[in-house]
């Protein structure tokens, strides 16, 4: 395809995407309003409408929408065929993902059978009213009754009977077992397989490529989260940073907010900057949509509700930083499980939404439905994708849409098998390659005492460090994920932590001892660690 033809096809694809979006309808309505103005001359119709749209801020909204489409939709990005050595893994990784999906669904169905409970049921009218009344206090009782008395029926489950469908360590076992039977190590330059436990021939970035990518984080660049600390005079950095941030926010342009955030977001501006980067502007339609999701929660009970409830109890409720947000988490996670908009991420994901069948119609495809409706079966720790964001947003609805966008743009890659460089397989491989290249003595020592580094770091990567770092450090880390539109920084930080604790790790003689050294990360400052890992000699 020639450049001119490609350009036309590219533009047409973008137009087609815009036509299916809400902004297209809103733009038409705004144009009609300008068209109806009595001051508009017929001879200057087109120019007048365009000027009216620009003056009312619609040019910015449209640019932000296009920017969002380009960020999240691979169909609108230039097609770059994978290298020869990546073509084969695409096939067997997809098969591995399909096998993993079947295993998860089998685990879910087994739980239904063992506990004699349905995947979904309609709530009685009385329960619906009770749910509506206690919506902002779901932590009191939650989706399951947890009294020690005998349940009245099978739907009133004892919380102890509900178990997570899978945990990160189960997922790691699958990734360790991935292997391309047609692969020969010499075929792939840059693939480090000597000591690592991930044996997938994917090309990952080296330290020089990462230094170039994250150059705005270099040691000679001032950063939010370091140079605005309390013991540093505010006039040296913070005041200028906030002043510039206000200008960026007033421009209301996603790419500008993204560029500014490469050096971190000032705490007071983080929520607004994230919304601009993610192109989120909550309006009446969004509010109505959330209310419909809430109604779906009130009307129908899903087994997934109990999984989410148990997950919040096991993670956020047991965390001194997040337990106060328990009700908030339910108000986000339960509607999320019903949100079919989330299914769009399967368009650019190697995974497929799990299917269930209407009772009595097993195996009949015309009676198959996505279960849960959003296609996401939560794992142990899923709630921690939401927890840090609770510090940013007072309104549940804004929190909901920010989390949803973060999930369909980034987090889904952390628990699905693919060859994407920012998928969990690629991040695991990047972590191993960086660590054994730059800390070979540490890597070899840990391996020799039966502690493969990835077995410790994997849980950090899957949860994007949420629940392991202090909440302010998680947010500083996620600033950079949004700013650089990349999760590779997770692997860089994991390597930096091992380097930082190297002295003690070199003394351990067992897996448990190594895990103990790395058990508490809450005192770490992530930005200096990343800077030292990337830019120090």
């Amino acid at each position: 395809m020639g450049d001119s033809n490609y350009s036309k096809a590219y533009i047409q694809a973008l137009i087609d995407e815009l036509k299916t979006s809400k902004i297209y309808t809103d733009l038409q309505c705004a144009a009609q309003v300008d068209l109806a103005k009595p001051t508009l001359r017929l001879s200057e119709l087109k120019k007048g409408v365009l000027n009216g749209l620009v003056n009312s801020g619609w040019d910015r909204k449209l640019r932000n929408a296009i920017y969002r489409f380009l960020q999240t939709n691979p169909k609108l990005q230039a097609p770059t065929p994978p290298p020869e050595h990546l073509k084969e893994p695409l096939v067997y990784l997809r098969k591995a993902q399909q096998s993993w999906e079947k295993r998860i669904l089998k685990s879910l169905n087994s739980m239904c059978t063992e506990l004699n409970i349905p995947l979904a049921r309609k709530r009685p009218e009385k329960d619906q009213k009770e749910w509506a009344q206690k919506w902002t206090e779901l932590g009191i009782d939650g989706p399951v009754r947890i009294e020690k008395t005998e349940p009245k029926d099978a739907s009133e489950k004892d919380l102890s009977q509900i178990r997570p469908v899978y945990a990160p360590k189960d997922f790691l076992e699958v990734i360790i077992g991935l292997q391309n039977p047609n692969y020969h190590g010499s075929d792939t330059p840059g693939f480090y397989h000597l000591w690592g436990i991930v044996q997938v021939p994917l090309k990952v970035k080296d330290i020089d490529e990462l230094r170039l990518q994250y150059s705005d984080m270099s040691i000679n660049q001032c950063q939010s989260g370091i140079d605005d600390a309390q013991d540093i005079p505010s006039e040296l950095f913070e005041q200028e940073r906030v002043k510039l941030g206000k200008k960026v926010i007033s421009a209301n342009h996603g790419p500008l907010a993204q560029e500014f955030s490469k050096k971190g977001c000032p705490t007071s501006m983080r929520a607004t900057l994230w919304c601009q980067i993610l192109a989120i502007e909550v309006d009446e339609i969004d509010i109505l949509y959330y209310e419909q999701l809430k109604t779906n929660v009130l009307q129908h009970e899903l087994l997934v509700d109990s999984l989410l409830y148990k997950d919040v109890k096991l993670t956020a409720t047991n965390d001194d930083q997040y337990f106060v947000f328990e009700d908030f988490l339910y108000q986000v996670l339960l509607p999320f499980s019903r949100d079919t908009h989330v299914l769009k991420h399967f368009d650019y994901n190697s995974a497929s939404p799990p299917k269930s069948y209407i009772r009595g119609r097993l195996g009949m495809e015309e009676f198959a439905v996505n279960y849960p409706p959003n296609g996401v079966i939560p794992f142990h720790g899923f709630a921690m994708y939401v927890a840090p964001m609770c510090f940013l947003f007072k309104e549940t609805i804004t929190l909901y849409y920010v989390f949803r966008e973060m999930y369909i743009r980034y987090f889904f890659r952390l628990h699905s098998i693919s060859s994407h460089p920012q998928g969990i397989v690629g991040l695991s491989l990047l972590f191993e390659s960086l660590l054994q290249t730059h800390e070979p003595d540490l890597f070899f020592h840990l391996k020799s005492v039966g502690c493969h580094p990835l077995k410790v770091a994997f849980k950090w990567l899957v949860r994007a460090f949420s629940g392991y770092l202090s909440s302010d450090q998680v947010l500083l880390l996620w600033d950079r994920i949004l700013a650089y539109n990349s999760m590779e920084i997770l692997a860089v930080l994991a390597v930096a932590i091992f380097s930082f604790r190297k002295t003690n790790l070199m003394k351990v003689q067992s897996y448990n001892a190594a895990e103990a050294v790395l058990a508490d990360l809450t005192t770490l400052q992530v930005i200096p660690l990343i800077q030292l890992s990337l830019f120090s000699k």
Side-chain angles (χ1 to χ4, degrees):
M1 181 180 287
D3 287 346
S4 59
N5 291 334
Y6 173 76
S7 179
K8 291 177 182 177
Y10 181 88
I11 293 171
Q12 187 59 50
L14 184 57
I15 291 172
D16 291 342
E17 282 291 321
L18 284 171
K19 283 183 176 180
T20 62
S21 70
K22 176 176 166 291
I23 195 171
Y24 182 77
T25 306
D26 293 343
L27 187 60
Q28 280 188 319
C29 292
Q32 288 174 351
V33 169
D34 274 295
L35 193 62
K37 290 179 179 177
T39 55
L40 190 64
R41 296 179 181 179
L42 191 62
S43 59
E44 298 179 347
L45 187 63
K46 182 177 179 180
K47 183 179 179 181
V49 171
L50 287 175
N51 287 338
L53 291 174
V54 170
N55 293 335
S56 58
W58 270 100
D59 63 325
R60 286 181 181 175
K61 290 183 180 180
L62 187 58
R63 287 187 309 190
N64 283 335
I66 292 171
Y67 162 73
R68 179 180 176 183
F69 285 141
L70 295 178
Q71 290 275 49
T72 59
N73 197 330
K75 291 187 293 185
L76 300 179
Q77 297 169 5
T80 52
E84 289 299 319
H85 68 277
L86 293 188
K87 290 180 180 178
E88 180 63 25
L90 294 177
V91 177
Y92 84 93
L93 288 178
R94 194 172 295 117
K95 288 181 179 179
Q97 172 62 30
Q98 291 169 354
S99 177
W100 174 238
E101 290 166 9
K102 290 178 182 177
R103 178 175 161 183
I104 296 172
L105 202 52
K106 183 179 179 181
S107 177
L108 192 68
N109 288 327
S110 295
M111 197 187 317
C112 287
T113 303
E114 290 171 18
L115 303 181
N116 191 28
I117 52 177
L119 286 172
R121 71 171 186 121
K122 188 171 183 179
R123 298 187 199 277
E125 290 289 336
K126 181 182 176 182
D127 287 0
Q128 291 185 34
K129 291 178 182 178
E130 287 181 2
W131 267 72
Q133 290 172 355
K134 66 179 184 182
W135 179 251
T136 58
E137 299 177 335
L138 290 175
I140 297 175
D141 289 318
V144 295
R145 297 178 184 270
I146 57 173
E147 296 91 343
K148 294 182 180 179
T149 56
E150 285 294 317
K152 296 177 183 177
D153 58 52
S155 65
E156 296 184 6
K157 303 167 289 297
D158 181 353
L159 183 63
S160 64
Q161 295 178 298
I162 302 299
R163 62 180 184 272
V165 176
Y166 72 97
K169 64 178 182 179
D170 303 315
F171 192 36
L172 176 59
E173 290 175 4
V174 175
I175 291 175
I176 291 174
L178 294 174
Q179 197 161 11
N180 181 357
N182 298 322
Y183 168 70
H184 299 287
S186 59
D187 296 343
T188 312
F191 172 54
Y192 298 89
H193 65 285
L194 295 175
W195 301 329
I197 54 177
V198 178
Q199 297 295 310
V200 180
L202 299 180
K203 180 74 168 67
V204 295
K205 292 178 181 175
D206 59 28
I207 194 72
D208 291 330
E209 291 172 303
L210 291 168
R211 282 171 180 160
L212 184 61
Q213 178 176 334
Y214 293 107
S215 59
D216 284 303
M217 290 185 67
S218 62
I219 295 173
N220 62 352
Q221 300 278 342
C222 291
Q223 304 287 322
S224 292
I226 303 176
D227 300 289
D228 51 3
Q230 292 182 353
D231 56 342
I232 297 175
S234 61
E235 61 269 14
L236 294 181
F237 172 71
E238 187 178 9
Q239 289 181 1
E240 286 300 313
R241 185 71 175 158
V242 170
K243 184 178 178 181
L244 179 59
K246 288 178 179 178
K247 291 181 180 179
V248 170
I249 287 173
S250 66
N252 190 24
H253 189 37
L256 190 60
Q258 189 173 37
E259 188 65 27
F260 173 79
S261 301
K262 286 182 177 179
K263 295 181 181 178
C265 301
T267 303
S268 62
M269 299 178 172
R270 179 173 282 123
T272 304
L273 289 166
W274 280 27
C275 286
Q276 289 189 356
I277 294 171
L278 297 169
I280 292 172
E281 294 180 24
V282 177
D283 57 19
E284 291 90 348
I285 302 297
D286 295 320
I287 294 171
L288 286 172
Y289 186 78
Y290 176 83
E291 288 299 321
Q292 181 58 56
L293 294 174
K294 174 183 170 182
T295 300
N296 292 342
V297 175
L298 301 181
Q299 291 179 346
H300 292 87
E301 177 188 1
L302 305 181
L303 174 59
V304 170
D305 298 345
S306 299
L307 291 173
L308 290 169
Y309 182 75
K310 181 70 174 278
D311 189 53
V312 171
K313 289 292 185 187
L314 291 175
T315 56
T317 307
N318 283 329
D319 193 310
D320 291 341
Q321 301 177 92
Y322 302 119
F323 73 94
V324 294
F325 299 123
E326 183 179 0
D327 296 327
F328 238 25
L329 293 172
Y330 298 135
Q331 292 167 46
V332 171
L333 290 167
L334 297 177
F336 179 75
S337 66
R338 275 82 170 168
D339 194 344
T340 56
H341 177 83
V342 179
L343 293 169
K344 68 174 285 187
H345 84 273
F346 288 105
D347 292 343
Y348 45 90
N349 185 4
S350 60
S352 303
K355 301 281 187 181
S356 185
Y357 295 90
I358 296 173
R359 182 170 292 179
R361 306 287 185 174
L362 185 63
M364 301 173 68
E365 287 303 317
E366 62 268 30
F367 294 101
V369 294
N370 293 323
Y371 184 87
N374 71 344
V376 181
I377 297 176
F379 59 90
H380 176 56
F382 190 85
M384 299 308 288
Y385 288 153
V386 186
M389 300 182 208
C390 294
F391 284 101
L392 302 184
F393 304 98
K394 295 179 180 179
E395 296 179 356
T396 307
I397 294 178
T398 306
L399 170 63
Y400 178 80
Y401 284 106
V402 170
F403 163 66
R404 188 182 75 173
E405 191 65 25
M406 285 287 284
Y407 181 83
I408 63 179
R409 196 180 285 200
Y410 302 110
F411 294 151
F412 79 90
R413 297 195 185 280
L414 298 177
H415 57 92
S416 56
I417 299 170
S418 74
S419 61
H420 195 282
Q422 293 180 56
I424 190 62
V425 179
L427 294 179
S428 298
L429 195 58
L430 177 61
F431 165 76
E432 289 198 319
S433 68
L434 289 175
L435 189 61
Q436 66 181 296
T437 303
H438 300 285
E439 299 285 4
D441 52 341
L442 174 60
F443 199 112
F444 182 76
H445 170 71
L446 291 174
K447 183 178 182 295
S448 65
V449 299
C451 177
H452 286 281
L454 183 60
K455 290 188 176 182
V456 177
F458 188 77
K459 59 182 180 290
W460 305 341
L461 300 176
V462 169
R463 281 174 31 177
F465 282 93
S466 180
Y468 297 104
L469 300 169
S470 62
S471 57
D472 62 318
Q473 297 301 306
V474 174
L475 294 172
L476 286 169
L477 180 64
W478 289 7
D479 282 346
R480 273 68 178 191
I481 290 177
L482 283 163
Y484 293 94
N485 194 32
S486 170
M487 291 191 292
E488 289 160 320
I489 200 164
L490 299 177
V492 174
L493 176 58
V495 171
I497 291 171
F498 272 79
S499 295
F500 185 65
R501 297 273 170 90
K502 179 178 179 178
T503 302
N504 289 331
L505 287 171
M506 289 297 290
K507 299 175 183 177
V508 304
Q509 295 300 319
S510 68
Y511 176 85
N512 290 340
E515 198 169 39
V517 170
L518 296 164
D520 184 9
L521 308 182
T522 55
T523 59
L524 298 181
Q525 301 289 309
V526 300
I527 304 306
L529 278 178
I530 292 169
Q531 288 179 318
L532 287 171
S533 182
L534 282 178
F535 300 105
S536 66
K537 297 297 182 183

